[in-house]
Amino acid sequence: MYVAVKGGERAILNSHKLIAEERRGDPSLAELTIEQIAAQFKLAVDRVMTEGSVYDPELAALALKQAQGDAVEAIFLLRAYRTTLPRFAVSAPIETRQMDVRRRISAAYKDLPGGQVLGPTYDYTHRLLDFELAANGGVGEPQAEAADEPLPDLMPPVLDILDREDLIEQEIADRENEPVFDLTRESMSFPAGRDQRLQNLARGDEGFVLGLAYSTTRGYGGAHPFVGEVRYGEVAVEITPEELGFAIEIGDVSVTECQMINQFQGSKDHPAQFTRGYGLSFGHGERKAMSMAMVDRALRAKELGEDAIHPAQDDEFVLSHTDNIEAVGFVTHFKLPHYVDFQAELQLVRKLRAEHAARHEMKEAAE
Amino acid sequence: MSAQSHPADNTAGSASTHGYNFGYLDEQTKRMIRRTLLKALAVPGYQAPFGGREMPLAYGWGTGGIQITASILGPDDVLKVIDQGADDTTNAVSIRRFFERVSDVATTEATEDATVVQTRHRIPETPLREGQIIVYQVPQPEPLRKLEPRETETRKMHAYAEYGLMQVELYENIARFGHIATTYDYPAVVNGRYLMAPSPIPKFDNPKMEDNPSIQLFGAGREKRIYAVPPYTKVKSLDFDDHPFRIQGWDQHCSLCGASDSYLDEVITDDRGGRMFICSDTDYCGKRREAGHVGDGGPQPAVEARLK
């Protein structure tokens, strides 16, 4: 007699062994080290840190190794680990003006104070498979040419130029004494303030935020943004311990920042002016920071008096679906048994069919 | 089967879990969740938002229930975890193992021995008693979500106790099918005030929620909501005077233990349309068989071996 198999502990344990086996792959090959992943899969590590919302390249590399390179699974591991960490302080806002810049470009101005700094970017590579890389396994020790003089210490944000002419809306003034929404400690609420939206987008799935940003430029948002500036580099993180009463530096993080300039025709309350969209990611994550800046701007439609009719302008729609950890969980939970609810439905369908058949018979008998 | 099992020692599992706090969550998070639980108990059926945390299990796999369980477990508790009524399904085994590793509590499969029962989709057949807590895993806490996708709207509807839309939905069922066609997650009004989604339990279990001596807690991790039904509270399943609420019934009895009062799972036995019906509550079924009850399928050693 055949009996439906119920899952047990042994099956689970064996399944764990199987993933360990798959993860290791061919045992005759050297095992990847965490250091190798952190150093050579840096962009993957940066994405995992951003969406996992923990700044720790080593942990992100470990998560990637454990997840066999699956970014979302690695993000999941990092988020779950993050849960167990106590919060000992809240940092002061980072000062990207003081950034130790490695890359800084503007699509709005050809030249500007501080200059365009191309830095490391794939933008101008030809996307041809590099068989040299496969043949030699590496490129030795490449060395980029150093500039004749170092970059200036202070590189003012490009949007300051527009700001001086009052052509762009003011950056939000210092809000040091205002409470900031904390998405990792509070549940989402609507309508969502910009602080909540930006936190959500920063942690949001890169692919999904990218798709939404794309939609705003394809007729579902009427946006035509200009990259005011993308900059990438190191900034210091400061906290103010209660017992000290003044700020101290606790380390550097590398971040990518995007300031987007958007057209705005003006409304009843606002004269015509450019508006801002803002994006920030850990490490080097330009695609994410740009997408985030575009969606941030789209979500401001209502406050700017624009018609909010497209998905990317709808805070409830956008914020409820950006988080890949939430999304993955719900979509995959359908793999779990649903015997009980399916049985309930099965019973109903049978009943409905029986009733339908009975009605049909009665009708035929009457004819 | 009903014997309590303790983890091997106080180090709670393997070296990989060493160093985690009792119950996994840190004490501040547990306190925050307990405060939300008190609020939820004080306003029965009200969906209290809470700062849900990422858990090492996927959203939709019970993270809401797990966070509640982690927050209320004490060292002396005895935990039972069921999924679809059963103690031996993968998700139940996995969650039970999780708590064995990150807390030092005893676990059990016996409903009457448990102080905390975490459940997905069923209320045990064995009646709960005072002092017990049942924690439900809830995928979608908002009963109105299917009728109104916007949170801002549903919040207003709850505030005004404006539940006509749900009544209309049930009426449309009747107009179309001749009876209400909602079979699980059947909406109920708690304490005469809030409309509540009872998690996807079959409506068969809805009457068990009413006047229950135990504390009933509902956790939705992805949606970050907690709600509750305090002991001995009225839980009224929506219906009409001329179409009163009715639960499912079966023509069959359990093939293993002969029960006619329990929720039955259909088990396909061969590829020629053969099927049998067995209790979805494995503990209830096992206890009945231990007491000598035999179903019309006669003794089923093969099945029983599976269920052990």
Side-chain angles (χ1 to χ4, degrees), chain A residues 66-82:
Chain A
Q66 194 177 330
Q68 300 177 58
D70 181 341
V72 176
E73 183 66 28
I75 290 161
F76 190 178
L77 287 166
L78 209 55
R79 285 266 196 103
Y81 177 74
R82 183 186 195 284

Side-chain angles (χ1 to χ4, degrees), chain A residues 166-245:
Chain A
D166 205 23
L167 286 172
I168 194 161
E169 60 174 352
Q170 290 268 300
E171 203 168 2
I172 296 171
D174 192 355
R175 292 174 50 179
E176 212 171 308
N177 297 317
E178 275 184 60
V180 177
F181 189 92
D182 185 348
L183 192 60
T184 65
R185 291 290 191 269
E186 295 165 62
S187 126
M188 203 124 70
S189 70
F190 297 106
R194 195 166 177 214
D195 46 357
Q196 186 186 339
R197 299 198 304 248
L198 287 173
Q199 287 169 33
N200 176 288
L201 292 172
R203 284 156 56 100
D205 182 79
E206 183 177 305
F208 185 72
V209 179
L210 169 69
L212 284 170
Y214 182 36
S215 77
T216 65
T217 65
R218 288 191 64 259
Y220 293 86
H224 188 279
F226 300 95
V227 174
E229 179 171 11
V230 168
R231 53 167 69 193
Y232 157 56
E234 269 71 49
V235 286
V237 178
E238 290 185 337
I239 62 166
T240 306
E242 254 173 46
E243 58 272 35
L244 286 185

Side-chain angles (χ1 to χ4, degrees), chain A residues 76 80 83, chain B residues 24-25 53-59 63 66-67 70 98:
Chain A
F76 190 178
T83 296
Chain B
Y24 188 76
L25 294 170
R53 304 290 200 253
E54 271 89 16
M55 297 301 284
L57 273 79
Y59 281 115
T63 53
I66 292 169
Q67 289 182 74
F98 174 72

Side-chain angles (χ1 to χ4, degrees), chain A residues 7 79-80 83 316 326 329 340, chain B residues 24 54 59 84 88 152 224:
Chain A
R79 285 266 196 103
T83 296
E316 281 213 44
E326 290 176 359
V340 164
Chain B
Y24 188 76
E54 271 89 16
Y59 281 115
Q84 311 277 310
D88 60 356
T152 33
K224 300 178 179 58

Side-chain angles (χ1 to χ4, degrees), chain B residues 16-183:
Chain B
S16 65
T17 53
H18 193 76
Y20 280 104
N21 196 30
F22 180 88
Y24 188 76
L25 294 170
D26 63 279
E27 294 303 320
Q28 283 161 313
T29 298
K30 290 198 277 190
R31 187 172 60 184
M32 175 272 294
I33 291 174
R34 285 182 205 129
R35 291 167 78 134
T36 311
L37 288 170
L38 290 176
K39 184 175 182 180
L41 281 162
V43 193
Y46 168 74
Q47 297 169 53
F50 78 111
R53 304 290 200 253
E54 271 89 16
M55 297 301 284
L57 273 79
Y59 281 115
W61 295 57
T63 53
I66 292 169
Q67 289 182 74
I68 292 182
T69 300
S71 305
I72 60 173
L73 276 184
D76 300 330
D77 272 310
V78 180
L79 175 69
K80 172 183 165 83
V81 184
I82 55 174
D83 187 318
Q84 311 277 310
D87 294 276
D88 60 356
T89 44
T90 40
N91 198 41
V93 170
S94 157
I95 292 174
R96 191 162 54 239
R97 269 169 52 82
F98 174 72
F99 281 111
E100 281 170 2
R101 294 174 75 186
V102 298
S103 71
D104 199 21
V105 298
T107 59
T108 183
E109 297 190 357
T111 304
E112 59 270 26
D113 293 344
T115 55
V116 177
V117 179
Q118 179 167 330
T119 179
R120 176 169 176 266
H121 291 205
R122 279 308 311 279
I123 299 174
E125 309 289 1
T126 308
L128 299 168
R129 53 164 207 280
E130 279 182 23
Q132 286 183 311
I133 299 176
I134 179 163
V135 179
Y136 297 77
Q137 304 171 196
V138 182
Q140 180 45 265
E142 179 48 72
L144 300 165
R145 181 62 75 238
K146 268 181 267 174
L147 306 173
E148 170 53 61
R150 304 189 73 85
E151 175 79 10
T152 33
E153 284 304 310
T154 55
R155 222 164 49 195
K156 279 185 214 154
M157 290 159 81
H158 285 295
Y160 295 129
E162 179 64 65
Y163 299 133
L165 202 58
M166 183 59 89
Q167 212 79 37
V168 168
E169 167 81 4
L170 297 181
Y171 171 75
E172 282 175 354
N173 278 184
I174 296 171
R176 193 156 164 213
F177 303 119
H179 50 78
I180 295 170
T182 297
T183 57

